[in-house]
């Protein structure tokens, strides 16, 4: 069956450092992969989308890589801030229709 | 971007009753979805709300339990029928617009 795995353990880092979150998937060949941020009690907020033919994408302090051979995406937040503390979700689109399969999310805690 | 509102934001319901959740989008969109997020879990797609036709349900979800209406391109409802405590979740409406998925704030449901 299709499976998406994110590190279930919370990631604790010091302010100013780079946070790196991992998303691995199996039995799937997605057209693209997306990353979302979710704060407690709120709906997910779209951050970045990367296509299967793209290796890397950047947006301000965010960087996403996509390795279709390893079936892995890495999500980086550089110069992290306490305001970056949240749960980050990885999601795959099964058929370019907006129907997403989500990972369980990784909680990031940035300490001042 | 699309702005999505949901009503109610939260509710506490008795076992055996039904609750209808409303989703309103500030622009016309073709693709609209309903997701569920159970406590401590990630998001799971319930169904695609199709305008003018019956909703398309994902494996494990049926129309009798989760009837959906989509009378136009800006509005949809999801009903959770004959509720049990296992239905306690956050229910989220989302839309797919130009390769970006937007989520509503969610409806937090507690079934006693």
């Amino acid at each position: 069956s299709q499976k998406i795995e994110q590190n279930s353990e919370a990631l604790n880092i010091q302010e100013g450092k780079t946070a790196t979150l991992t998303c691995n998937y199996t039995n799937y060949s997605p057209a693209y992969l997306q990353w979302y941020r979710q704060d407690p009690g709120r709906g997910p907020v779209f951050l970045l989308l990367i296509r299967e033919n793209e290796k890397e994408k950047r947006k301000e302090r965010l960087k996403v890589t996509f390795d279709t051979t390893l079936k892995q995406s890495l999500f980086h937040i550089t110069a992290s801030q306490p305001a970056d503390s949240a749960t980050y979700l990885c999601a795959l689109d099964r058929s370019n229709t907006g129907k997403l399969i989500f990972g369980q999310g990784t909680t990031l805690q940035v300490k001042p | 971007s699309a702005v999505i509102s949901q009503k109610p934001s939260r509710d506490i319901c008795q076992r055996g009753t039904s609750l209808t959740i409303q989703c309103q989008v500030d622009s016309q969109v073709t693709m609209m979805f309903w997701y569920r997020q159970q406590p401590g879990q990630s998001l799971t797609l319930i169904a695609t709300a199709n305008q003018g036709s019956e909703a398309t349900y994902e494996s494990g979800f049926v129309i009798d339990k989760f009837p959906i209406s989509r009378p136009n391109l800006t509005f949809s409802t999801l009903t959770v029928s004959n509720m049990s405590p296992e239905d306690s979740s956050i229910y989220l409406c989302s839309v797919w617009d130009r390769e970006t998925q937007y989520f509503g704030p969610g409806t937090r449901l507690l079934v006693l």
Side-chain angles (χ1 to χ4, degrees), chain A residues 33-35 46-50 57 59 62 64 75:
Chain A
L33 183 147
Q34 302 178 41
W35 284 89
F46 173 81
L47 295 175
L48 280 169
L49 177 152
I50 186 165
K57 182 164 278 189
K59 178 183 176 183
L62 308 180
V64 173
F75 178 78

Side-chain angles (χ1 to χ4, degrees), chain B residues 36-39 85-91 107-110:
Chain B
R36 179 174 76 180
Q37 188 170 28
Q38 294 177 299
E86 293 70 35
D87 295 320
S88 298
S89 290
I90 300 172
Y91 292 86
T107 295
R108 188 179 296 268
L109 171 63
L110 177 63

Side-chain angles (χ1 to χ4, degrees), chain B residues 23 25 27-34 48-55 67-78 93-96:
Chain B
C23 174
V25 189
S27 58
Q28 293 187 340
V29 290
T30 303
M31 305 299 290
M32 185 179 282
F33 308 95
W34 286 97
T48 304
N50 300 309
Q51 193 266 329
S53 64
E54 198 169 277
I68 289 170
S69 77
R70 179 96 189 265
N72 56 53
L73 292 177
T74 64
F75 185 79
S76 177
T77 66
L78 168 75
C93 170
S94 79
V95 300
W96 174 245

Side-chain angles (χ1 to χ4, degrees), chain A residues 34-39 42-49 59 62 75 86-91 100 102, chain B residues 1-2 37 43 92 100-105:
Chain A
Q34 302 178 41
W35 284 89
Y36 291 80
R37 168 180 174 144
Q38 187 173 27
D39 292 285
R42 308 188 73 169
V45 174
F46 173 81
L47 295 175
L48 280 169
L49 177 152
K59 178 183 176 183
L62 308 180
F75 178 78
T87 296
Y88 291 87
L89 302 168
C90 160
L100 300 178
F102 281 86
Chain B
S1 66
Q37 188 170 28
L43 286 80
L92 297 127
T100 299
Q101 193 108 354
Y102 300 95
F103 284 86

Side-chain angles (χ1 to χ4, degrees), chain A residues 53-98:
Chain A
N53 60 350
E54 297 176 318
K55 296 293 184 185
E56 180 180 299
K57 182 164 278 189
R58 293 174 184 261
K59 178 183 176 183
E60 298 174 351
R61 294 185 296 111
L62 308 180
K63 184 178 85 171
V64 173
T65 63
F66 194 13
D67 189 325
T68 54
T69 301
L70 291 178
K71 293 187 182 293
Q72 181 182 78
S73 175
L74 299 178
F75 178 78
H76 306 272
I77 305 175
T78 58
S80 60
Q81 305 166 1
D84 294 327
S85 299
T87 296
Y88 291 87
L89 302 168
C90 160
L92 301 177
D93 188 313
R94 289 181 279 182
S95 52
N96 197 23
T97 58

